[in-house]
Amino acid sequence: MRLNKLLGTVFAGATLASMPLGAHAQDFTGKTLVVGVWGGDIERLLRQNAAEPLEKETGAKVEFVLGGSGDRMARIYAEKNNPTMDVAFVNIYEAPQALQDGIVVAPDPDGDLYKAIWPGMNNGCYAMSINALGIAYNKKLMPQPPEWADMWKPEFKGKIALAPYPSTESDSILGIAARVAGKDEHDADAAFGKLAELTPVALTYTSLDEIFGMMDAEEVAMAPMISGFVIAALKDHPDLGFAFPKNPGPVVVRDMLCLVKNSPNPELAKKFAELAIGVKNQTDYAEQLFFGPTNKNVELPADISDKVVDKPEEVDSLVQLDWPYLMSQRSAWTLRWNKEILGQ
């Protein structure tokens, strides 16, 4: 997504990608780095651009533990005094709490890894990628890219799909609903009251195939979704589109890379992080997954840059939610969601 680009900025010094591991490679033969991460294409790119080069240069092995971030967080907390995981990829709302609870290493502002990332993004852990929550929509039912307020039009009653609660998507749409009502996420009554106007919900989607199938069939007109997932799938769904709304804007979503505190292999973990956030992997994330880069040295072709959030000024234009507050409300809000949104 190209908003207002800052032009003519010159970056001095070496990039992460220009500092090969082999220049100061240590022998880590017999060591195994354990990395907790999502599967699919994310795992594929991390294996290709981080794990395999690390294994080649150091003699270590990299073991991926696949699953959701909740599983990783539970494991790290359970193993706080004797961790077995070295690197954990988590959501934007989990990293600050993990740092506060002392289970991850604080990002080092003097390190090359920290300096390679756009300022203000390393909140709790290192910023790995940037997405935005916008609107996936059926172009036959909505010929023009929709704004958030369009979801509340009478003709789309019963044709809006939502993600399950709790999730990044559902927390975010509550924040948006509150803003459409003239408030923000701190006003739960405004958020739930406005979102309840969309009920009955056409679908609580739990997979991309499920929601895209319903949208292709015109049973769902719009759904709040994360940009990268939708844009990557549009080639297979020509009748669907994705909108970055303007009033209010999309919700910024970031994946975070955490170095587990007191992990067995802190040096290997740091080397893995440098490769994961290096120019090569970040470029592949953008070009193949449509996840915006956090490494400020990444330069994307215009056609890719137009489809991702890839500059800090773009992030600043997006809606920033109070994630610590939202996390503190999840228990109570789960009950409200089930009752007021799902009618259970």
Side-chain angles (χ1 to χ4, degrees):
M1 180 180 60
R2 179 165 296 174
L3 303 176
N4 295 322
K5 304 290 186 183
L6 288 178
L7 302 177
T9 306
V10 178
F11 299 102
T15 69
L16 280 177
S18 69
M19 294 182 291
L21 294 177
H24 301 284
Q26 293 177 253
D27 185 1
F28 290 92
T29 301
K31 300 290 187 179
T32 299
L33 182 79
V34 179
V35 178
V37 70
W38 300 276
D41 287 331
I42 292 176
E43 177 207 358
R44 174 179 61 82
L45 290 178
L46 287 172
R47 190 176 296 279
Q48 170 186 306
N49 295 328
E52 291 177 2
L54 185 67
E55 290 176 336
K56 180 179 179 181
E57 294 289 346
T58 67
K61 297 296 182 184
V62 178
E63 175 188 336
F64 285 97
V65 178
L66 306 182
S69 62
D71 298 330
R72 292 188 283 283
M73 292 292 288
R75 175 170 171 171
I76 298 171
Y77 276 102
E79 299 178 345
K80 181 177 181 179
N81 295 324
N82 189 27
T84 60
M85 186 174 288
D86 300 286
V87 178
F89 289 81
V90 304
N91 292 308
I92 185 175
Y93 52 82
E94 293 164 324
Q97 188 65 50
L99 180 61
Q100 181 177 322
D101 292 342
I103 60 173
V104 298
V105 178
D108 178 10
D110 296 322
D112 292 328
L113 182 60
Y114 190 102
K115 294 175 181 178
I117 297 171
W118 291 107
M121 292 191 182
N122 296 318
N123 187 9
C125 297
Y126 292 100
M128 178 67 201
S129 62
I130 310 172
N131 271 296
L133 185 103
I135 306 173
Y137 65 100
N138 183 295
K139 292 187 287 189
K140 292 182 178 180
L141 300 177
M142 175 66 66
Q144 299 298 320
E147 290 291 327
W148 292 117
D150 291 325
M151 292 173 54
W152 278 266
K153 288 184 175 179
E155 58 264 39
F156 300 118
K157 182 79 169 178
K159 283 186 169 291
I160 306 300
L162 299 174
Y165 188 90
S167 66
T168 302
E169 295 91 337
S170 52
D171 278 316
S172 296
I173 194 57
L174 281 169
I176 290 297
R179 284 165 173 77
V180 172
K183 305 293 184 179
D184 65 22
E185 62 268 21
H186 298 94
D187 191 325
D189 291 337
F192 277 96
K194 192 64 182 177
L195 195 63
E197 294 177 11
L198 300 180
T199 59
V201 175
L203 171 71
T204 298
Y205 66 88
T206 56
S207 75
L208 297 180
D209 288 341
E210 181 183 29
I211 180 60
F212 292 147
M214 291 281 283
M215 296 187 80
D216 283 333
E218 300 183 22
E219 296 181 46
V220 170
M222 289 175 273
M225 297 184 71
I226 293 174
S227 56
F229 301 140
V230 179
I231 294 171
L234 291 182
K235 63 182 184 299
D236 298 320
H237 301 274
D239 291 332
L240 306 187
F242 185 83
F244 292 94
K246 297 181 176 61
N247 185 30
V251 177
V252 63
V253 178
R254 284 200 300 270
D255 289 341
M256 310 297 288
L257 185 159
C258 297
L259 305 180
V260 178
K261 191 172 182 178
N262 299 321
S263 78
N265 302 291
E267 293 179 75
L268 283 172
K270 183 179 179 182
K271 292 175 184 294
F272 181 92
E274 289 172 348
L275 288 165
I277 300 177
V279 169
K280 177 65 169 69
N281 192 55
Q282 292 261 301
T283 301
D284 284 351
Y285 257 52
E287 294 183 346
Q288 298 182 39
L289 308 183
F290 299 99
F291 286 12
T294 58
N295 188 321
K296 64 187 179 183
N297 300 297
V298 173
E299 297 182 5
L300 298 175
D303 62 324
I304 300 298
S305 180
D306 287 343
K307 297 174 182 177
V308 303
V309 178
D310 65 339
K311 294 291 186 292
E313 65 270 20
E314 294 179 355
V315 175
D316 289 343
S317 74
L318 308 183
V319 174
Q320 304 268 2
L321 299 179
D322 184 350
W323 284 108
Y325 173 78
L326 290 171
M327 292 294 287
S328 74
Q329 300 301 306
R330 276 192 164 180
S331 179
W333 285 15
T334 296
L335 299 176
R336 291 196 68 166
W337 183 279
N338 291 340
K339 179 180 180 180
E340 298 176 36
I341 307 305
L342 300 183
Q344 296 177 351

